[in-house]
Short mmCIF file of all heavy atoms in Angstrom, two decimals:
data_model
loop_
_atom_site.label_atom_id
_atom_site.label_comp_id
_atom_site.label_asym_id
_atom_site.label_seq_id
_atom_site.Cartn_x
_atom_site.Cartn_y
_atom_site.Cartn_z
N VAL A 244 17.23 5.65 0.47
CA VAL A 244 15.82 6.08 0.41
C VAL A 244 14.92 5.19 -0.46
O VAL A 244 13.84 4.78 -0.02
CB VAL A 244 15.72 7.58 0.01
CG1 VAL A 244 14.29 7.97 -0.32
CG2 VAL A 244 16.26 8.44 1.16
N PRO A 245 15.34 4.82 -1.69
CA PRO A 245 14.44 3.98 -2.50
C PRO A 245 14.07 2.68 -1.79
O PRO A 245 12.90 2.27 -1.80
CB PRO A 245 15.26 3.70 -3.77
CG PRO A 245 16.23 4.84 -3.85
CD PRO A 245 16.57 5.20 -2.42
N GLY A 246 15.05 2.03 -1.14
CA GLY A 246 14.77 0.79 -0.42
C GLY A 246 13.82 1.01 0.74
O GLY A 246 12.94 0.18 1.01
N LEU A 247 13.97 2.14 1.42
CA LEU A 247 13.09 2.44 2.55
C LEU A 247 11.66 2.70 2.08
O LEU A 247 10.69 2.22 2.68
CB LEU A 247 13.62 3.66 3.32
CG LEU A 247 14.86 3.36 4.16
CD1 LEU A 247 15.57 4.64 4.56
CD2 LEU A 247 14.46 2.56 5.40
N LEU A 248 11.52 3.44 0.99
CA LEU A 248 10.17 3.75 0.49
C LEU A 248 9.48 2.48 0.01
O LEU A 248 8.26 2.37 0.10
CB LEU A 248 10.23 4.80 -0.62
CG LEU A 248 10.69 6.19 -0.17
CD1 LEU A 248 10.60 7.19 -1.31
CD2 LEU A 248 9.89 6.68 1.04
N ALA A 249 10.27 1.51 -0.47
CA ALA A 249 9.67 0.24 -0.89
C ALA A 249 9.04 -0.49 0.29
O ALA A 249 8.12 -1.29 0.13
CB ALA A 249 10.72 -0.64 -1.55
N LEU A 250 9.55 -0.19 1.51
CA LEU A 250 8.97 -0.81 2.71
C LEU A 250 7.74 -0.05 3.20
O LEU A 250 7.12 -0.44 4.19
CB LEU A 250 10.02 -0.83 3.84
CG LEU A 250 11.21 -1.75 3.63
CD1 LEU A 250 12.24 -1.54 4.73
CD2 LEU A 250 10.75 -3.22 3.61
N LEU A 251 7.42 1.06 2.53
CA LEU A 251 6.30 1.90 2.98
C LEU A 251 5.26 2.07 1.87
O LEU A 251 4.94 3.19 1.45
CB LEU A 251 6.81 3.27 3.42
CG LEU A 251 7.78 3.26 4.61
CD1 LEU A 251 8.45 4.61 4.76
CD2 LEU A 251 7.04 2.86 5.88
N PRO A 252 4.69 0.95 1.39
CA PRO A 252 3.74 1.07 0.27
C PRO A 252 2.46 1.81 0.68
O PRO A 252 1.73 2.30 -0.18
CB PRO A 252 3.43 -0.40 -0.08
CG PRO A 252 3.75 -1.18 1.16
CD PRO A 252 4.88 -0.44 1.83
N ASP A 253 2.20 1.88 1.99
CA ASP A 253 0.97 2.53 2.44
C ASP A 253 1.19 4.00 2.80
O ASP A 253 0.35 4.62 3.42
CB ASP A 253 0.40 1.78 3.65
CG ASP A 253 1.44 1.62 4.76
OD1 ASP A 253 2.61 1.96 4.52
OD2 ASP A 253 1.06 1.15 5.84
N ALA A 254 2.35 4.54 2.43
CA ALA A 254 2.65 5.93 2.81
C ALA A 254 2.29 6.91 1.69
O ALA A 254 2.36 6.58 0.51
CB ALA A 254 4.14 6.05 3.13
N GLU A 255 1.90 8.11 2.09
CA GLU A 255 1.74 9.20 1.13
C GLU A 255 3.16 9.60 0.67
O GLU A 255 4.13 9.32 1.37
CB GLU A 255 1.12 10.41 1.84
CG GLU A 255 -0.22 10.13 2.51
CD GLU A 255 -1.39 10.31 1.56
OE1 GLU A 255 -1.22 11.01 0.56
OE2 GLU A 255 -2.45 9.74 1.85
N PRO A 256 3.28 10.26 -0.49
CA PRO A 256 4.61 10.71 -0.91
C PRO A 256 5.25 11.53 0.22
O PRO A 256 4.62 12.42 0.76
CB PRO A 256 4.31 11.59 -2.12
CG PRO A 256 3.00 11.08 -2.64
CD PRO A 256 2.23 10.60 -1.45
N PRO A 257 6.49 11.19 0.61
CA PRO A 257 7.08 11.83 1.80
C PRO A 257 7.58 13.25 1.53
O PRO A 257 7.85 13.62 0.40
CB PRO A 257 8.27 10.90 2.10
CG PRO A 257 8.63 10.31 0.79
CD PRO A 257 7.37 10.20 -0.01
N THR A 258 7.69 14.01 2.60
CA THR A 258 8.38 15.29 2.56
C THR A 258 9.85 14.99 2.82
O THR A 258 10.17 14.29 3.78
CB THR A 258 7.85 16.22 3.67
OG1 THR A 258 6.45 16.31 3.53
CG2 THR A 258 8.48 17.59 3.59
N VAL A 259 10.74 15.49 1.95
CA VAL A 259 12.17 15.18 2.09
C VAL A 259 12.93 16.47 2.34
O VAL A 259 12.75 17.45 1.63
CB VAL A 259 12.70 14.51 0.79
CG1 VAL A 259 14.16 14.13 0.96
CG2 VAL A 259 11.85 13.28 0.45
N MET A 260 13.75 16.46 3.38
CA MET A 260 14.54 17.66 3.71
C MET A 260 16.02 17.28 3.79
O MET A 260 16.35 16.18 4.24
CB MET A 260 14.09 18.22 5.07
CG MET A 260 12.68 18.78 5.05
SD MET A 260 11.91 18.77 6.68
CE MET A 260 11.49 17.05 6.89
N GLN A 261 16.86 18.24 3.38
CA GLN A 261 18.29 17.98 3.44
C GLN A 261 18.79 18.36 4.84
O GLN A 261 18.43 19.40 5.37
CB GLN A 261 18.99 18.82 2.40
CG GLN A 261 20.21 18.17 1.86
CD GLN A 261 20.52 18.69 0.47
OE1 GLN A 261 20.31 19.87 0.21
NE2 GLN A 261 21.01 17.83 -0.39
N VAL A 262 19.64 17.50 5.44
CA VAL A 262 20.09 17.78 6.79
C VAL A 262 21.47 18.44 6.80
O VAL A 262 21.66 19.50 7.38
CB VAL A 262 20.12 16.49 7.64
CG1 VAL A 262 20.70 16.76 9.02
CG2 VAL A 262 18.72 15.92 7.76
N ASP A 263 22.45 17.83 6.13
CA ASP A 263 23.82 18.33 6.26
C ASP A 263 24.38 18.85 4.94
O ASP A 263 25.57 18.91 4.74
CB ASP A 263 24.73 17.24 6.82
CG ASP A 263 24.70 16.01 5.90
OD1 ASP A 263 24.05 16.10 4.84
OD2 ASP A 263 25.33 15.00 6.23
N GLY A 264 23.49 19.19 4.05
CA GLY A 264 23.97 19.79 2.81
C GLY A 264 24.42 18.80 1.76
O GLY A 264 24.64 19.16 0.64
N LYS A 265 24.62 17.51 2.12
CA LYS A 265 24.98 16.59 1.04
C LYS A 265 24.24 15.28 1.11
O LYS A 265 23.24 15.08 0.42
CB LYS A 265 26.49 16.37 0.94
CG LYS A 265 27.24 16.24 2.26
CD LYS A 265 28.74 16.12 1.94
CE LYS A 265 29.54 15.40 2.97
NZ LYS A 265 29.56 15.92 4.29
N ASP A 266 24.62 14.38 1.97
CA ASP A 266 24.11 13.02 1.80
C ASP A 266 22.97 12.62 2.74
O ASP A 266 22.23 11.70 2.44
CB ASP A 266 25.28 12.04 1.96
CG ASP A 266 25.10 10.85 1.05
OD1 ASP A 266 24.43 11.03 0.01
OD2 ASP A 266 25.58 9.77 1.41
N THR A 267 22.86 13.26 3.90
CA THR A 267 21.82 12.84 4.85
C THR A 267 20.52 13.58 4.59
O THR A 267 20.50 14.80 4.47
CB THR A 267 22.28 13.10 6.30
OG1 THR A 267 23.51 12.43 6.50
CG2 THR A 267 21.25 12.56 7.29
N LEU A 268 19.44 12.79 4.51
CA LEU A 268 18.12 13.38 4.29
C LEU A 268 17.24 13.09 5.51
O LEU A 268 17.40 12.07 6.18
CB LEU A 268 17.46 12.77 3.05
CG LEU A 268 18.21 12.95 1.73
CD1 LEU A 268 17.46 12.24 0.61
CD2 LEU A 268 18.37 14.43 1.40
N ALA A 269 16.32 13.99 5.79
CA ALA A 269 15.28 13.74 6.81
C ALA A 269 13.96 13.59 6.06
O ALA A 269 13.65 14.40 5.20
CB ALA A 269 15.22 14.91 7.79
N LEU A 270 13.22 12.52 6.41
CA LEU A 270 11.96 12.28 5.70
C LEU A 270 10.81 12.24 6.68
O LEU A 270 10.95 11.76 7.82
CB LEU A 270 12.01 10.92 4.97
CG LEU A 270 12.91 10.86 3.72
CD1 LEU A 270 14.32 10.48 4.11
CD2 LEU A 270 12.33 9.88 2.72
N GLN A 271 9.67 12.73 6.23
CA GLN A 271 8.45 12.48 7.00
C GLN A 271 7.36 12.05 6.05
O GLN A 271 7.20 12.60 4.96
CB GLN A 271 8.06 13.68 7.84
CG GLN A 271 7.72 14.93 7.08
CD GLN A 271 7.39 16.06 8.05
OE1 GLN A 271 8.12 16.31 9.01
NE2 GLN A 271 6.29 16.72 7.82
N ALA A 272 6.63 10.99 6.47
CA ALA A 272 5.61 10.43 5.59
C ALA A 272 4.40 10.04 6.41
O ALA A 272 4.52 9.49 7.51
CB ALA A 272 6.16 9.21 4.86
N LEU A 273 3.22 10.34 5.86
CA LEU A 273 1.97 9.92 6.49
C LEU A 273 1.71 8.47 6.06
O LEU A 273 1.56 8.20 4.86
CB LEU A 273 0.84 10.84 6.03
CG LEU A 273 -0.53 10.60 6.63
CD1 LEU A 273 -0.50 10.77 8.14
CD2 LEU A 273 -1.54 11.55 6.00
N CYS A 274 1.70 7.54 7.03
CA CYS A 274 1.51 6.12 6.70
C CYS A 274 0.12 5.69 7.14
O CYS A 274 -0.30 5.98 8.27
CB CYS A 274 2.55 5.27 7.41
SG CYS A 274 4.21 5.67 6.88
N HIS A 275 -0.58 4.97 6.27
CA HIS A 275 -1.96 4.60 6.58
C HIS A 275 -2.12 3.21 7.18
O HIS A 275 -3.19 2.83 7.61
CB HIS A 275 -2.83 4.76 5.34
CG HIS A 275 -2.91 6.17 4.87
ND1 HIS A 275 -3.46 7.16 5.62
CD2 HIS A 275 -2.44 6.78 3.74
CE1 HIS A 275 -3.35 8.32 4.99
NE2 HIS A 275 -2.73 8.11 3.84
N GLY A 276 -1.05 2.43 7.21
CA GLY A 276 -1.16 1.08 7.80
C GLY A 276 -0.60 1.07 9.22
O GLY A 276 -0.04 2.05 9.68
N ALA A 277 -0.78 -0.05 9.91
CA ALA A 277 -0.29 -0.14 11.29
C ALA A 277 1.23 -0.05 11.31
O ALA A 277 1.91 -0.59 10.44
CB ALA A 277 -0.75 -1.47 11.89
N MET A 278 1.76 0.65 12.28
CA MET A 278 3.21 0.84 12.36
C MET A 278 3.73 -0.01 13.53
O MET A 278 3.91 0.47 14.63
CB MET A 278 3.48 2.34 12.56
CG MET A 278 4.86 2.79 12.18
SD MET A 278 5.48 2.17 10.60
CE MET A 278 4.45 3.07 9.44
N SER A 279 3.95 -1.28 13.24
CA SER A 279 4.34 -2.22 14.29
C SER A 279 5.83 -2.12 14.60
O SER A 279 6.60 -1.54 13.81
CB SER A 279 4.03 -3.65 13.83
OG SER A 279 4.82 -3.95 12.69
N TRP A 280 6.25 -2.71 15.72
CA TRP A 280 7.68 -2.75 16.05
C TRP A 280 8.45 -3.45 14.95
O TRP A 280 9.55 -3.06 14.60
CB TRP A 280 7.89 -3.48 17.38
CG TRP A 280 7.56 -2.62 18.56
CD1 TRP A 280 6.50 -2.77 19.40
CD2 TRP A 280 8.28 -1.48 19.03
NE1 TRP A 280 6.51 -1.79 20.36
CE2 TRP A 280 7.60 -0.99 20.16
CE3 TRP A 280 9.44 -0.82 18.60
CZ2 TRP A 280 8.03 0.12 20.87
CZ3 TRP A 280 9.86 0.29 19.31
CH2 TRP A 280 9.17 0.75 20.44
N GLN A 281 7.86 -4.52 14.40
CA GLN A 281 8.55 -5.27 13.35
C GLN A 281 8.86 -4.38 12.15
O GLN A 281 9.95 -4.43 11.58
CB GLN A 281 7.71 -6.48 12.93
CG GLN A 281 8.41 -7.42 11.95
CD GLN A 281 9.75 -7.93 12.52
OE1 GLN A 281 9.77 -8.50 13.61
NE2 GLN A 281 10.86 -7.68 11.81
N ARG A 282 7.88 -3.54 11.79
CA ARG A 282 8.11 -2.65 10.64
C ARG A 282 9.24 -1.67 10.94
O ARG A 282 10.05 -1.36 10.07
CB ARG A 282 6.83 -1.87 10.33
CG ARG A 282 5.92 -2.61 9.42
CD ARG A 282 4.80 -1.72 8.96
NE ARG A 282 5.08 -1.12 7.67
CZ ARG A 282 4.22 -0.29 7.06
NH1 ARG A 282 3.08 0.02 7.65
NH2 ARG A 282 4.51 0.21 5.89
N LEU A 283 9.28 -1.18 12.17
CA LEU A 283 10.34 -0.24 12.54
C LEU A 283 11.70 -0.94 12.47
O LEU A 283 12.69 -0.37 11.99
CB LEU A 283 10.09 0.34 13.93
CG LEU A 283 8.83 1.20 14.07
CD1 LEU A 283 8.75 1.81 15.47
CD2 LEU A 283 8.81 2.31 13.02
N GLU A 284 11.75 -2.19 12.95
CA GLU A 284 13.01 -2.96 12.87
C GLU A 284 13.44 -3.12 11.42
O GLU A 284 14.63 -2.97 11.10
CB GLU A 284 12.81 -4.37 13.47
CG GLU A 284 12.38 -4.41 14.93
CD GLU A 284 13.55 -4.24 15.89
OE1 GLU A 284 14.69 -4.12 15.41
OE2 GLU A 284 13.29 -4.22 17.11
N ASP A 285 12.48 -3.43 10.54
CA ASP A 285 12.81 -3.61 9.12
C ASP A 285 13.35 -2.32 8.52
O ASP A 285 14.31 -2.34 7.74
CB ASP A 285 11.56 -4.07 8.34
CG ASP A 285 11.12 -5.47 8.75
OD1 ASP A 285 11.91 -6.17 9.42
OD2 ASP A 285 9.97 -5.86 8.42
N LEU A 286 12.73 -1.19 8.89
CA LEU A 286 13.18 0.10 8.37
C LEU A 286 14.60 0.43 8.87
O LEU A 286 15.44 0.93 8.14
CB LEU A 286 12.20 1.21 8.80
CG LEU A 286 10.83 1.17 8.11
CD1 LEU A 286 9.82 2.02 8.86
CD2 LEU A 286 10.95 1.64 6.66
N LYS A 287 14.83 0.09 10.15
CA LYS A 287 16.16 0.35 10.73
C LYS A 287 17.22 -0.46 9.97
O LYS A 287 18.28 0.05 9.61
CB LYS A 287 16.14 -0.02 12.21
CG LYS A 287 17.37 0.42 12.99
CD LYS A 287 17.14 0.18 14.47
CE LYS A 287 18.43 0.23 15.25
NZ LYS A 287 19.11 1.52 15.18
N LEU A 288 16.89 -1.74 9.73
CA LEU A 288 17.82 -2.60 8.99
C LEU A 288 18.11 -2.05 7.60
O LEU A 288 19.21 -2.20 7.07
CB LEU A 288 17.23 -4.01 8.85
CG LEU A 288 17.57 -5.00 9.95
CD1 LEU A 288 16.88 -6.33 9.66
CD2 LEU A 288 19.09 -5.20 10.04
N ALA A 289 17.10 -1.40 7.02
CA ALA A 289 17.27 -0.87 5.66
C ALA A 289 17.93 0.51 5.66
O ALA A 289 18.01 1.16 4.62
CB ALA A 289 15.91 -0.81 4.97
N GLY A 290 18.32 0.98 6.86
CA GLY A 290 19.11 2.22 6.89
C GLY A 290 18.44 3.43 7.50
O GLY A 290 19.01 4.53 7.46
N ALA A 291 17.25 3.28 8.07
CA ALA A 291 16.59 4.43 8.70
C ALA A 291 17.19 4.67 10.08
O ALA A 291 17.45 3.73 10.82
CB ALA A 291 15.09 4.18 8.80
N ARG A 292 17.39 5.95 10.42
CA ARG A 292 17.92 6.30 11.76
C ARG A 292 16.98 7.29 12.42
O ARG A 292 16.31 8.07 11.75
CB ARG A 292 19.31 6.93 11.62
CG ARG A 292 20.37 5.97 11.09
CD ARG A 292 21.76 6.58 11.24
NE ARG A 292 21.89 7.86 10.56
CZ ARG A 292 22.18 8.01 9.29
NH1 ARG A 292 22.39 6.94 8.55
NH2 ARG A 292 22.29 9.21 8.75
N GLY A 293 16.96 7.24 13.75
CA GLY A 293 16.14 8.21 14.49
C GLY A 293 14.67 8.09 14.14
O GLY A 293 13.96 9.08 13.97
N LEU A 294 14.19 6.84 14.05
CA LEU A 294 12.78 6.62 13.68
C LEU A 294 11.84 7.17 14.75
O LEU A 294 12.05 6.93 15.94
CB LEU A 294 12.54 5.11 13.52
CG LEU A 294 12.97 4.50 12.18
CD1 LEU A 294 13.24 3.02 12.35
CD2 LEU A 294 11.90 4.75 11.13
#
Side-chain angles (χ1 to χ4, degrees):
V244 169
L247 286 164
L248 293 185
L250 292 173
L251 298 168
D253 53 352
E255 303 273 339
T258 306
V259 183
M260 293 155 284
Q261 211 155 36
V262 175
D263 59 4
K265 40 184 206 301
D266 214 27
T267 304
L268 300 177
L270 288 89
Q271 63 182 48
L273 183 61
C274 297
H275 297 297
M278 201 45 71
S279 63
W280 282 110
Q281 187 57 56
R282 273 189 96 180
L283 295 185
E284 300 278 359
D285 293 346
L286 289 164
K287 190 172 164 62
L288 270 179
R292 294 191 303 275
L294 279 156

